[in-house]
Amino acid sequence: MQQTLLNKSFSEKNHEEALSQNDGLMAKIHNSNDPGYCGSEPFRMSSYALILITKGKLNIRINFVDHVINQRDILLVLPHSIYEITDNSSVSFISIHFNKSYLKNKGVFFSSGETYRMAKDIQSHKFSLSKEDYTFIYYDMLALHKKLNVSKDTPHIKNIVHNSFLELLYDIFLLKNKQKDSVPIAHNSRSELTNRFLALVSENFKKEKRVIYYANCLRITPRHLSQVVKQVTDRTAGEIIDEMVIREAKLLLTSHVMNISEVAIALHFSNSSFFGKYFKKQTGITPSEYKLSNNIAV
């Protein structure tokens, strides 16, 4: 029961249910003049979102690191990362939410390697638009928002909505590519291997923290796995495993749902002492110190 409460907060559950009821795609307009328009509690969505700042600036904490998203900035919210809006008093924005199922059903994919690289570098999934480009994307989003509010009984509306979504998505990709801020991951054997590794880790990191386990699953040596993963992500296989474990540990420690012993059990450490040593080695502080200095509820 505790784990269920932790993994899916009430607001997150409502968000996922709303997405499901809307075939995995939603659009929202958030206006700073509307009371309670934007919550300040930390959240972790399983879906993607595109956020375009239309007024003011958004102070947001992503995976416990503070960022400022300014007017005419666009941000891609990645699934399973931890977000906390620290100041929403003077910001308005429009957001498009879509889940993996919607992308998969429509034949659109973000590879695991691309998602990991975006998650590591805030600049790769946040960028500023010129006035001309901002107007272009803003009206793309408004058009999609309007079409999503058309009656579902309207003939061909699903195809109309999907085409509008694709137009927005590819317009953003074109603008991002024009700015030349990111280097695309080559679709070769190294990136394919890395994607398989990242998918395995995301599913098994709580139980399996050894590189050799993932190397055996992929039928290669641990050394070769780490070399390939580092070439693609700039992190070794072991560093990626540790990052995922620590990110989850931080979320559990700040949840007020579990104590340190329960967190150790949830992450499959043999005991809380071993978990404490592991956590301090990775972060420089003990779980107790971290818990005391991060009093947020998820």
Side-chain angles (χ1 to χ4, degrees):
M1 180 63 179
Q2 285 182 330
Q3 190 65 35
T4 302
L5 290 171
L6 176 67
N7 286 339
K8 190 170 292 186
S9 67
F10 181 72
S11 59
E12 180 185 353
K13 183 177 181 180
N14 284 352
H15 178 83
E16 291 184 4
E17 288 176 350
L19 262 180
S20 178
Q21 292 169 4
N22 288 278
D23 299 320
L25 178 65
M26 292 192 309
K28 296 181 179 181
I29 295 176
H30 309 259
N31 193 318
S32 58
N33 295 325
D34 299 333
Y37 79 105
C38 183
S40 59
E41 289 297 313
F43 59 94
R44 178 173 58 180
M45 295 191 301
S46 60
S47 62
Y48 292 91
L50 285 166
I51 295 175
L52 178 67
I53 306 300
T54 57
K55 177 184 176 183
K57 64 181 180 180
L58 180 67
N59 293 281
I60 188 169
R61 187 171 294 133
I62 304 175
N63 291 327
F64 308 98
V65 178
D66 291 320
H67 301 281
V68 177
I69 317 298
N70 296 301
Q71 186 175 9
R72 298 207 311 266
D73 283 353
I74 191 163
L75 172 71
L76 172 62
V77 171
L78 299 172
H80 307 304
S81 293
I82 303 160
Y83 299 87
E84 181 185 4
I85 296 174
T86 56
D87 181 8
N88 59 19
S89 60
S90 61
V91 64
S92 296
F93 58 93
I94 183 169
S95 61
I96 308 296
H97 305 261
F98 50 100
N99 59 26
K100 291 181 180 179
S101 296
Y102 182 84
L103 294 178
K104 184 177 180 181
N105 292 339
K106 301 300 183 180
V108 182
F109 299 94
F110 289 131
S111 73
S112 297
E114 289 167 329
T115 300
Y116 179 80
R117 182 171 283 188
M118 287 188 291
K120 287 304 300 175
D121 182 6
I122 182 68
Q123 296 305 324
S124 68
H125 62 287
K126 182 206 79 172
F127 63 102
S128 299
L129 299 172
S130 67
K131 288 183 178 181
E132 180 181 359
D133 290 339
Y134 165 80
T135 302
F136 191 53
I137 296 300
Y138 176 67
Y139 282 109
D140 271 355
M141 286 188 162
L142 281 184
L144 179 57
H145 179 270
K146 183 176 181 180
K147 291 166 186 173
L148 281 166
N149 284 285
V150 172
S151 171
K152 292 184 179 181
D153 297 330
T154 303
H156 311 296
I157 189 59
K158 286 189 176 181
N159 287 334
I160 292 170
V161 165
H162 177 57
N163 288 335
S164 184
F165 170 76
L166 283 183
E167 183 178 3
L168 167 65
L169 199 62
Y170 288 120
D171 281 345
I172 290 172
F173 285 165
L174 285 172
L175 290 176
K176 180 61 176 170
N177 187 60
K178 184 176 72 174
Q179 292 191 358
K180 298 180 180 180
D181 284 340
S182 61
V183 178
I185 296 176
H187 294 284
N188 53 33
S189 59
R190 289 178 297 179
S191 63
E192 290 299 323
L193 176 62
T194 301
N195 289 337
R196 290 168 62 196
F197 165 71
L198 291 170
L200 281 171
V201 176
S202 65
E203 293 175 2
N204 300 287
F205 72 90
K206 292 181 183 179
K207 292 183 179 180
E208 291 292 344
K209 302 171 182 62
R210 300 169 302 154
V211 174
I212 193 171
Y213 168 83
Y214 298 99
N216 288 340
C217 289
L218 296 167
R219 298 182 179 181
I220 58 176
T221 66
R223 182 180 179 183
H224 180 59
L225 175 60
S226 283
Q227 287 175 338
V228 170
V229 170
K230 187 172 178 63
Q231 289 173 344
V232 175
T233 67
D234 295 325
R235 294 290 189 278
T236 65
E239 287 171 342
I240 287 176
I241 295 168
D242 288 337
E243 286 174 9
M244 290 192 181
V245 173
I246 290 299
R247 182 183 299 173
E248 188 71 12
K250 286 180 175 179
L251 177 64
L252 298 178
L253 289 169
T254 57
S255 68
H256 296 300
V257 176
M258 292 182 175
N259 60 36
I260 293 173
S261 295
E262 289 170 332
V263 172
I265 292 171
L267 294 176
H268 292 265
F269 284 90
S270 56
N271 54 61
S272 57
S273 176
F274 183 53
F275 166 64
K277 291 177 182 177
Y278 174 89
F279 189 89
K280 186 169 184 179
K281 179 181 178 181
Q282 298 297 325
T283 66
I285 60 175
T286 67
S288 297
E289 290 169 338
Y290 183 83
K291 193 174 180 69
L292 287 172
S293 62
N294 291 270
N295 295 318
I296 59 174
V298 182

